[in-house]
Structures are given as structure tokens and as C-alpha cells.
Amino acid sequence: MNMSFYVGAIGADHCSRKLSVVANNLANVNNNGFKPKTAVFSELINYNLNDSPEAVTQLTAGAGVRVQRTNTDFGVSAMRETGLEYDYAITQPNAFFMLQDPVSGEITYTRSGRFHRGEREDGFYLTTESGKLVLDQNRQPLLLEVADVEAMREALEGGDYEEDYEDDYDGEEDEDRPRVSVYTFSNPSRLLSVGNNEYTVGNTGMEPVLVENPGLAQGVLEGSGTDMAKEITRMIECQRAFSFAARVVTTSDEITGTINSLRG
């Protein structure tokens, strides 16, 4: 087969894959905690024309390019204040909330801190919008303390609510008390995306490490990391590259047709 057909076809195919990555980034421009991906290209093996592979010659030809991998930027994006009690934003890069699926027990990680108070059989827990449980520093579901409204009302009517409150709170923070925690990895780029702004370690063998003093902001959400200007620029580049690759295929077809007509 004519090599030019292969080079043009593979170039057009992988340009379309890069365009899919750009389109996904643009589609999530308003999703909290979304981290954009970039397609990394690698050049395929070059070969010598009319000579042995070991020969030193300037007559070389490439075999095209392909998308080798997609990288994810786990940096910190712009923050916006919501004032909601269960909204959290991570203010440091390469750190994640640990989540657990209550049905399958699967562990995933996310930077999206849009959480809610979800009721279960034994109480209220901090959950995601999809119902996954947020884990604490001990990798246990984070049980929320819900105020007993009736007890508060009775205490207020009896005039001893303030005294009871002072007895229950000693003014010192309990370090062992379950709290919203974040985890990090030695090589976050190896995390596998599973959709819904969540990631898993898969079979990479990585172990999450608890961040002792995490940068967390309550009542704040981290926005999408998509940069519209960069993505539009990449889209234009990709469209131009695709058109050039398609033109290579068309030109190669025209040359082959001309040669066949001369032979006839």
C-alpha cells in the first residue's frame, strides 16, 4: 500500500481523537471541579528511503503520528463562594476527596466538593450528588452530627440551653474527630478517569496518602479548569491538521489514479 495513504489516514484519525478531547473539555466548562485533559502526540518510526534501516542518509520519511496518551491537569482552578455548609474546595494541587459507592464499595476520588447531607438507615452522612459517601481521615463514611431541634427547644424553654452547650464543648479541637479529609498520590497522572469528575487507581498499584494539613475552604466551590482561549486555539489547530491530513489522502489518491491511467 502507498505509505502516503497510511500517513494521511492515521493523521486524520488521531486529529479527530484530539478534537474529541477538546470537545469534552469545552462541554465541561461549567462543571465544578472538572480537570481538563490534553492529548499528547508521539511521532511514529521514520525509515530510510531506498536504503537499509542502519544507513545514515537524509532520505528519510515518517510514518505519521498518533495520540500516545492524555494528560490531566490536577492544578487549582478559580474558586467561587457559595456560602453553603456542605460545599468544600481543595486549595492545593494533586489532592482529592475519597468517595465510596454504598452499593459496590468501589473507591473513587474527586476534586468536586459539591456535597449534601444524605439520610441512611443509621443517620445522616456527607454524600455527593450521586449518593456516594465521602470518607474521613480513617477512610470511614463521614457521619454528620444533626442538631436535635426538640431538645434545643426544650432547653431554651427551660433556660438551661447555654449551660448544657458549655458542658458539651470544652473549647479544644479533637484531632481524632471525623472530619472532611483529602488524599494525594505519588503520581496523580496515572489516575484513571471513570466519568462524573471521578478517578480511580485501577491496577496502577498506587496507594492514597492522607494529607495531614489539607488546604480546604468551606462554603466555596472550585470551578472548572477549562481555559476557553486555550481550548479554542487547540480546536483551530486540530481542524487545520485534520484538513492537511485529509488533503494528503486526496493528493495520494489523485497521484495513484494518474499513474494507473498512464499504465493503461
Side-chain angles (χ1 to χ4, degrees):
M1 183 182 69
N2 192 330
M3 195 63 182
S4 59
F5 279 110
Y6 175 79
V7 173
I10 197 173
D13 177 54
H14 286 269
C15 282
S16 66
R17 296 187 187 186
K18 178 180 178 180
L19 193 59
S20 297
V21 174
V22 173
N24 183 66
N25 292 340
L26 291 173
N28 289 277
V29 68
N30 293 319
N31 285 355
N32 297 316
F34 175 77
K35 295 303 165 187
K37 297 177 175 58
T38 55
V40 179
F41 282 81
S42 63
E43 185 179 6
L44 299 179
I45 298 175
N46 294 330
Y47 64 96
N48 287 320
L49 293 173
N50 303 322
D51 211 328
S52 63
E54 296 81 11
V56 179
T57 174
Q58 299 299 320
L59 297 176
T60 59
V65 295
R66 68 181 179 90
V67 175
Q68 183 177 14
R69 64 182 183 274
T70 55
N71 291 339
T72 305
D73 179 12
F74 292 115
V76 180
S77 304
M79 308 283 180
R80 65 181 180 87
E81 186 174 356
T82 65
L84 299 179
E85 180 181 2
Y86 300 120
D87 283 350
Y88 290 89
I90 303 176
T91 60
Q92 63 188 78
N94 301 326
F96 309 85
F97 299 106
M98 182 184 287
L99 310 177
Q100 183 181 48
D101 190 316
V103 178
S104 65
E106 180 186 8
I107 300 296
T108 55
Y109 304 88
T110 185
R111 284 186 64 91
S112 176
R114 172 58 67 86
F115 300 140
H116 302 275
R117 188 180 70 181
E119 184 176 8
R120 296 179 61 80
E121 296 81 1
D122 54 345
F124 290 89
Y125 288 85
L126 192 65
T127 66
T128 65
E129 294 176 319
S130 60
K132 291 188 176 182
L133 299 169
V134 181
L135 305 188
D136 60 17
Q137 73 274 23
N138 300 313
R139 303 189 187 184
Q140 297 297 319
L142 188 58
L143 182 65
L144 297 177
E145 295 182 0
V146 181
D148 189 338
V149 179
E150 285 298 321
M152 292 172 59
R153 183 180 60 79
E154 293 175 2
L156 286 171
E157 291 177 353
D160 57 351
Y161 172 70
E162 183 177 355
E163 180 179 353
D164 291 342
Y165 177 80
E166 291 177 352
D167 290 341
D168 294 338
Y169 180 66
D170 57 6
E172 296 181 359
E173 182 180 358
D174 185 4
E175 294 183 356
D176 296 329
R177 183 178 181 181
R179 61 185 183 274
V180 178
S181 302
V182 299
Y183 295 79
T184 187
F185 297 89
S186 58
N187 192 358
S189 62
R190 296 175 62 189
L191 290 173
L192 306 176
S193 177
V194 293
N196 199 27
N197 290 342
E198 296 178 14
Y199 304 87
T200 181
V201 296
N203 297 322
T204 59
M206 294 191 302
E207 285 294 329
V209 179
L210 177 67
V211 179
E212 294 296 338
N213 297 303
L216 278 176
Q218 189 173 10
V220 179
L221 284 178
E222 182 184 17
S224 172
T226 299
D227 187 324
M228 286 287 293
K230 288 184 179 179
E231 298 303 328
I232 294 298
T233 302
R234 289 170 181 163
M235 182 180 66
I236 295 173
E237 291 175 347
C238 192
Q239 288 176 331
R240 297 285 177 84
F242 181 88
S243 64
F244 292 152
R247 184 59 182 168
V248 169
V249 176
T250 302
T251 302
S252 182
D253 179 64
E254 292 174 353
I255 293 174
T256 302
T258 302
I259 294 174
N260 291 333
S261 64
L262 293 175
R263 288 175 180 175

